[in-house]
Amino acid sequence: LNSTQVRRKIEQGPKIQALLRARGAPREVIDNLYYTILSRPPTDQERQVVLDYGTAPGMDARSAAIDLVWALVNSAEFLFHH
């Protein structure tokens, strides 16, 4: 899953780019990414972990969102279902 083709789709793919450009509240972006990738909402704990990560010093929203996409695509849940 770490091929350049997958990385390009994540970083430049139209669906992910549209979600990143939506400029919603962080909670909305997180929820949309979870629904798009795992077809379910994040749990409260998952959402909080992502929010904490995204607001860490030196982290920007786009990088945090791309990191979330990578984490979800590499999750056992995604691999099992897709």
Side-chain angles (χ1 to χ4, degrees):
L1 287 175
N2 292 325
S3 71
T4 54
Q5 180 182 11
V6 172
R7 182 176 48 191
R8 190 173 335 111
K9 285 186 180 231
I10 287 174
E11 294 176 358
Q12 299 172 3
K15 177 69 174 178
I16 298 299
Q17 290 304 309
L19 289 172
L20 296 177
R21 280 192 305 268
R23 298 285 184 190
R27 178 185 171 104
E28 291 175 43
V29 173
I30 294 166
D31 288 359
N32 286 336
L33 289 172
Y34 264 82
Y35 277 117
T36 299
I37 297 168
L38 297 181
S39 301
R40 68 168 179 84
T43 65
D44 291 336
Q45 181 182 8
E46 290 169 332
R47 187 180 294 111
Q48 190 58 52
V49 167
V50 175
L51 286 170
D52 291 345
Y53 178 76
T55 58
M59 181 58 65
D60 64 275
R62 185 178 190 287
S63 295
I66 289 174
D67 288 349
L68 174 59
V69 171
W70 273 111
L72 295 176
V73 168
N74 283 292
S75 70
E77 182 177 352
F78 179 83
L79 296 172
F80 179 73
H81 291 289
H82 301 284

